[in-house]
Amino acid sequence: MRVLILGGDGYLGWPTALRFSARGHEVSVVDNFARRRWVGGAGSDSLTPIADLEPRIAAWEANPAGDRIRSFVGGVEDGDFLDGVIAETKPEAVVHYGQQPSAPYSMISRQTAVETQQTNVVGNLNLLFSMRDHVPDAHLVKLGTMGEYGQPNIDIEEGYIEIEHNGRKDTLPFPKLPGSLYHCSKVHDSTNIHFACRTWGLRATDLNQGVVYGIETAETAGDERLITRFDYDELFGTVLNRFCLQAVIGHPLTVYGAGHQTRGFLNIRDTLACVELAVANPAERGDFRVFNQFTEQFSVLELAEKVKAAAEHLGYTVEINHLDNPRVEKEEHYYNAIHTKLLDLGLEPTLLGEELVESLLHTIERYKGNAIESSIDPHTRWNPAKSPAGQA
Ligand code: USQ
């Protein structure tokens, strides 16, 4: 299959490109290296050493499992550039990770909020037009987020809910309560993709993904030149990855508030498995499918306790700190999200046992000398008017 991966230099995009290449697909990647710039601009860097895209691809092509990967350097916000790539590569599946993925980054300022929504909403809209005009039969696999739903006081369904209102029934998109301007951008994307499916007959799968953790995947383990990036800073590091890095370098774990905020989580290996399953089982023409892509639910405090236990087992001393929550989010809430569609397609979840946390800690140990500790503590507040006394 011809597979185009947007954001192919990123945390998930790079290992996804290798996975499809290892399976014998014809892979092309697009990236403008914005993630590298955003993280650098935040005074941080990937913990793992990552080469530039071209040498990385050359290392993969020299690998026994490797095959040719074509690369295109440019941004999805540039509609003419993207149109040219789609027309040239004629993908049968497009996996779209080419977005600004950080909730805190979107909340720094008006400028970063506008940048986030421009990159995400305009980029996605450009893609829909290019697919309509050049590859209307191709399958769009879009990385959405569980955060589109927020934390409603009812069970979260997979994309749609049957509603009975004033004696009439319909199946409608599940209500959205996004928790940051980044999450809002993903809601806007979902609306636009759904519209394109209904109106132009495109086929799409929105993967409403939970919080990802982990570093190594089958293709990247064993060859350091192929390792994916690993972020742990306040903006781009996801919570479990951050806690593991913090435990290894002796930084108190940064639990925001009480830590009872509950989210869906999944291992990076399962992200790749889910994307593969979605591509292998495409949506019908005109269909906008939504899969909730996570394997387990945890509260933030439960994760901190798991990391503390595993790290102490390895001889570390770990302190858990409860910081004043820089975000505006519910700390006590009901959370039960349905996630059966990917399991029905054959997903075999990688569960977060102590062994898995220990193996993540061991991988981080190899690179702990690269950690920039000053990038860890949170400074971005969702509502600056609510800053506690003494803080800017
Ligand atoms: N949190 C802490 N301490 C930290 C960092 C985070 O307590 O040091 C808490 C946050 O307050 C939040 C939870 O952990 O309640 C998750 O935060 P996160 O930064 O790991 O994840 P989030 O901002 O929700 O965003 C991440 C990805 C995003 C993806 C989303 C999936 O960056 O791209 O869409 O996870 S979801 O959370 O399901 O919306």
Side-chain angles (χ1 to χ4, degrees):
M1 231 180 176
R2 290 181 303 278
V3 182
L4 176 67
I5 296 170
L6 307 179
D9 185 52
Y11 172 54
L12 302 175
W14 170 247
T16 301
L18 301 194
R19 168 62 51 86
F20 280 103
S21 177
R23 295 277 195 263
H25 297 290
E26 207 177 295
V27 177
S28 302
V29 298
V30 167
D31 212 296
N32 66 348
F33 314 123
R35 172 66 169 263
R36 294 179 186 240
R37 285 192 294 277
W38 288 320
V39 174
S44 193
D45 199 356
S46 170
L47 186 79
T48 48
I50 51 167
D52 289 342
L53 181 60
E54 283 312 315
R56 275 176 130 181
I57 290 177
W60 171 247
E61 289 173 352
N63 185 288
D67 209 339
R68 179 169 177 240
I69 293 180
R70 293 181 73 186
S71 64
F72 296 84
V73 175
V76 292
E77 310 89 313
D78 179 346
D80 291 338
F81 160 77
L82 189 61
D83 212 46
V85 173
I86 300 271
E88 188 177 333
T89 57
K90 290 260 182 290
E92 290 151 284
V94 179
V95 182
H96 184 15
Y97 295 104
Q99 300 207 307
Q100 195 298 96
S102 159
Y105 184 84
S106 75
M107 299 302 293
I108 296 174
S109 64
R110 171 168 62 90
Q111 191 196 359
T112 62
V114 169
E115 183 188 10
T116 299
Q117 295 220 352
Q118 228 154 31
T119 298
N120 295 2
V121 181
V122 173
N124 185 64
L125 203 49
N126 284 337
L127 177 61
L128 293 173
F129 273 89
S130 293
M131 290 183 71
R132 182 196 74 171
D133 293 345
H134 300 291
V135 286
D137 198 36
H139 179 204
L140 168 59
V141 176
K142 165 70 164 51
L143 261 286
T145 170
M146 286 302 295
E148 290 187 31
Y149 304 116
Q151 293 78 42
N153 199 30
I154 56 172
D155 291 346
I156 295 172
E157 302 297 328
E158 290 195 76
Y160 298 90
I161 185 168
E162 195 180 300
I163 299 179
E164 192 172 341
H165 181 62
N166 292 346
R168 302 182 67 82
K169 269 193 192 162
D170 204 348
T171 299
L172 295 168
F174 194 90
K176 306 289 172 76
L177 280 173
S180 73
L181 287 162
Y182 151 74
H183 287 102
C184 292
S185 75
K186 306 289 266 195
V187 173
H188 307 328
D189 288 346
S190 297
T191 304
N192 289 346
I193 300 170
H194 194 179
F195 176 84
C197 291
R198 294 196 311 275
T199 309
W200 301 331
L202 296 187
R203 57 174 99 222
T205 305
D206 207 359
L207 296 175
N208 278 349
Q209 185 165 248
V211 186
V212 184
Y213 63 87
I215 306 180
E216 287 181 330
T217 63
E219 290 74 28
T220 64
D223 184 343
E224 191 174 74
R225 296 171 306 164
L226 301 177
I227 202 161
T228 194
R229 62 175 308 118
F230 183 87
D231 296 302
Y232 55 90
D233 62 280
E234 72 139 326
L235 301 176
F236 290 91
T238 49
V239 64
L240 182 56
N241 285 352
R242 276 166 59 73
F243 287 171
C244 287
L245 178 279
Q246 292 164 3
V248 168
I249 67 164
H251 189 96
L253 306 193
T254 55
V255 171
Y256 296 166
H260 298 145
Q261 309 91 303
T262 301
R263 300 286 185 273
F265 289 83
L266 77 163
N267 188 275
I268 188 170
R269 292 173 188 257
D270 286 352
T271 295
L272 270 50
C274 291
V275 170
E276 257 194 295
L277 284 169
V279 168
N281 300 277
E284 298 294 326
R285 283 295 297 264
D287 197 10
F288 175 63
R289 289 191 310 194
V290 183
F291 295 166
N292 290 348
Q293 180 166 312
F294 70 95
T295 57
E296 298 173 275
Q297 293 187 183
F298 297 107
S299 76
V300 166
L301 190 57
E302 279 172 331
L303 288 181
E305 280 160 357
K306 274 179 185 290
V307 170
K308 181 176 163 73
E312 287 185 342
H313 199 212
L314 298 181
Y316 291 99
T317 305
V318 178
E319 192 190 325
I320 297 179
N321 247 5
H322 286 265
L323 306 183
D324 178 66
N325 197 335
R327 305 186 181 195
V328 176
E329 62 183 355
K330 288 182 192 164
E331 289 178 19
E332 307 289 341
H333 60 90
Y334 176 77
Y335 199 72
N336 184 36
I338 311 304
H339 55 111
T340 53
K341 290 188 184 171
L342 283 157
L343 296 172
D344 291 346
L345 286 179
L347 175 67
E348 290 174 19
T350 307
L351 300 180
L352 185 67
E354 179 153 335
E355 222 171 87
L356 188 56
V357 181
E358 285 186 17
S359 98
L360 184 50
L361 293 168
H362 279 309
T363 309
I364 291 171
E365 273 169 354
R366 298 210 298 266
Y367 305 106
K368 67 178 179 188
N370 297 337
I372 302 171
E373 195 170 353
S374 58
S375 71
I376 292 177
D377 286 331
H379 299 287
T380 306
R381 308 194 74 83
W382 261 227
N383 184 356
K386 279 196 182 158
S387 293
Q391 289 199 29

